[in-house]
Amino acid sequence: MLFSENPDQLIDELKDYIQIASSYDCSRIQNLLLATENTYIIALLGTKLFNRIAKDQTTFPDEIGMCRKAVANITVYENFTLLNTLLLSGGFARVAGENTDSLYRYQEEDLKQIFRRNGFDQLDLIINHFLDKIDSFPEFKESEYYKAGRGELIPDRFVFSQYYKPIGHIVFRYLQAFIRRAEDLDISDIVDLSELRQAVLSGTISDQQQRTIELVRPVIVCLAVAYAMEDMGVNIDNAGIWMERRVAADGIREKNPPDTILVNTLVSKYRNMANRYLRELQKHLSGIIKTKKLPGNERTHHIPMELPL
């Protein structure tokens, strides 16, 4: 475990990352911290790397600190309402102190967003840290996160963000299923993906293959975004896909499913963008077919004029 099981020591450790009273009852948060640790940190780093740094925390103070910050903030964000209530004989009641006032609802919502950003942004920093120090932490190569991007045309959130907008690790993980759908249903009949993946995996990419990868990536990204919106809504974040609206009266942010017209408009927008990128890919692939002599029995690809909207 990243945090101490001793209540007094746990309070001191948490104070480095969140504002918490010395008199706080740690039993309310201890199991929640452990659940967050399992869900996010162990799943991200892999069991072997996590056990290495957690076993000897004094040897890896920077890594432990980074992980603790993520766990503390995500735990509070995901359990905000639970940590603010108690189950009494008459039902749930709000936690309140004799000398303290409860926050207004809009203040609570803003505070939750701070915990959310501090927690999930930290996951991205953790990934960057272990990627930069992969020689010192070779166990990271055995994590599912690292292996999932190996040999892929869209290997990580950084490549995806080049053609969409900045997204985090958690968002990218949600989008990987839609990336695969776009590749399998729309791209596999146009480009030999297995050949490109093998070239990426082996590190022996020809100039022609590199150009193909550069041109096919935006097509895949735009289609993946369209598929995600069709399935779930509009905005993509760690909570899924949603449309956010700030109510002017009290400043509360509401997350509501978007209406069908808006979804269809945005899906059409990204499919149109995919088709515009596709035209450049078509020109490139047509040039390859014209210049490359193929045996009669070798597979050739039909290049569609346009992807279906």
Side-chain angles (χ1 to χ4, degrees):
M1 185 174 176
L2 293 170
F3 289 97
S4 173
E5 296 182 4
N6 179 280
D8 294 332
Q9 190 173 341
L10 175 57
I11 288 290
D12 289 337
E13 292 169 351
L14 287 172
K15 283 181 178 178
D16 290 335
Y17 313 106
I18 59 176
Q19 297 292 320
I20 187 169
S22 299
S23 59
Y24 186 80
D25 179 9
C26 288
S27 64
R28 289 175 53 78
I29 199 172
Q30 211 155 22
N31 288 334
L32 300 177
L33 290 168
L34 185 59
T36 302
E37 180 181 295
N38 289 328
T39 301
Y40 291 100
I41 303 300
I42 296 179
L44 179 64
L45 302 184
T47 303
K48 185 175 289 188
L49 176 55
F50 177 82
N51 287 341
R52 179 187 169 192
I53 64 174
K55 184 178 180 180
D56 189 5
Q57 297 189 6
T58 57
T59 305
F60 306 105
D62 293 340
E63 289 73 23
I64 291 297
M66 295 173 71
C67 293
R68 281 178 175 173
K69 180 178 179 180
V71 169
N73 281 276
I74 292 173
T75 296
V76 176
Y77 166 68
E78 293 195 332
N79 301 279
F80 194 87
T81 302
L82 179 63
L83 293 171
N84 275 289
T85 57
L86 285 174
L87 180 58
L88 306 177
S89 57
F92 282 99
R94 188 180 183 86
V95 176
E98 294 181 1
N99 301 314
T100 57
D101 294 325
S102 297
L103 297 175
Y104 291 108
R105 189 178 169 192
Y106 78 90
Q107 292 175 318
E108 290 187 347
E109 291 298 319
D110 286 342
L111 187 59
K112 284 167 64 176
Q113 294 309 309
I114 292 172
F115 286 125
R116 174 182 173 274
R117 286 195 302 271
N118 288 345
F120 288 107
D121 287 355
Q122 188 67 16
L123 291 180
D124 294 328
L125 295 178
I126 291 170
I127 291 173
N128 294 343
H129 177 79
F130 285 106
L131 286 174
D132 290 342
K133 296 181 177 293
I134 196 74
D135 292 338
S136 300
F137 299 98
E139 298 92 341
F140 189 49
K141 293 181 180 180
E142 299 182 33
S143 68
E144 289 303 316
Y145 177 84
Y146 186 87
K147 291 189 290 186
R150 299 286 292 165
E152 295 297 330
L153 302 185
I154 312 290
D156 52 43
R157 68 186 182 94
F158 302 107
V159 172
F160 194 96
S161 296
Q162 290 175 16
Y163 309 100
Y164 180 52
K165 62 181 180 181
I167 61 172
H169 149 72
I170 298 296
V171 179
F172 180 72
R173 210 164 60 171
Y174 282 124
L175 288 170
Q176 283 179 309
F178 300 108
I179 292 171
R180 179 64 71 174
R181 184 188 298 180
E183 291 175 342
D184 291 345
L185 299 184
D186 300 290
I187 306 300
S188 60
D189 286 337
I190 305 172
V191 177
D192 189 341
L193 293 176
S194 60
E195 180 181 300
L196 288 182
R197 288 187 185 121
Q198 184 57 44
V200 171
L201 192 61
S202 64
T204 56
I205 306 174
S206 67
D207 291 343
Q208 197 174 75
Q209 288 174 324
Q210 183 61 42
R211 183 58 179 158
T212 301
I213 291 171
E214 292 170 357
L215 292 172
V216 79
R217 277 175 170 170
V219 182
I220 294 171
V221 169
C222 290
L223 289 173
V225 171
Y227 278 129
M229 289 179 175
E230 282 178 323
D231 275 23
M232 293 185 289
V234 178
N235 293 317
I236 307 171
D237 74 356
N238 60 289
I241 312 267
W242 45 270
M243 182 172 65
E244 183 177 84
R245 180 172 67 93
R246 182 181 284 274
V247 181
D250 54 12
I252 302 303
R253 290 188 180 92
E254 292 184 348
K255 293 183 178 181
N256 304 304
D259 62 78
T260 303
I261 295 175
L262 177 58
V263 171
N264 290 340
T265 299
L266 288 169
V267 169
S268 295
K269 169 188 173 181
Y270 279 98
R271 286 195 169 275
N272 281 327
M273 288 173 61
N275 276 313
R276 292 171 67 182
Y277 281 119
L278 178 64
R279 295 188 189 106
E280 292 302 313
L281 177 62
Q282 289 171 335
K283 294 177 185 177
H284 171 68
L285 295 177
S286 297
I288 293 176
I289 293 174
K290 288 178 183 177
T291 57
K292 186 177 180 181
K293 295 181 179 180
L294 299 176
N297 62 346
E298 186 166 339
R299 179 186 175 189
T300 58
H301 296 285
H302 167 67
I303 304 176
M305 291 303 295
E306 192 169 279
L307 295 168
L309 296 177

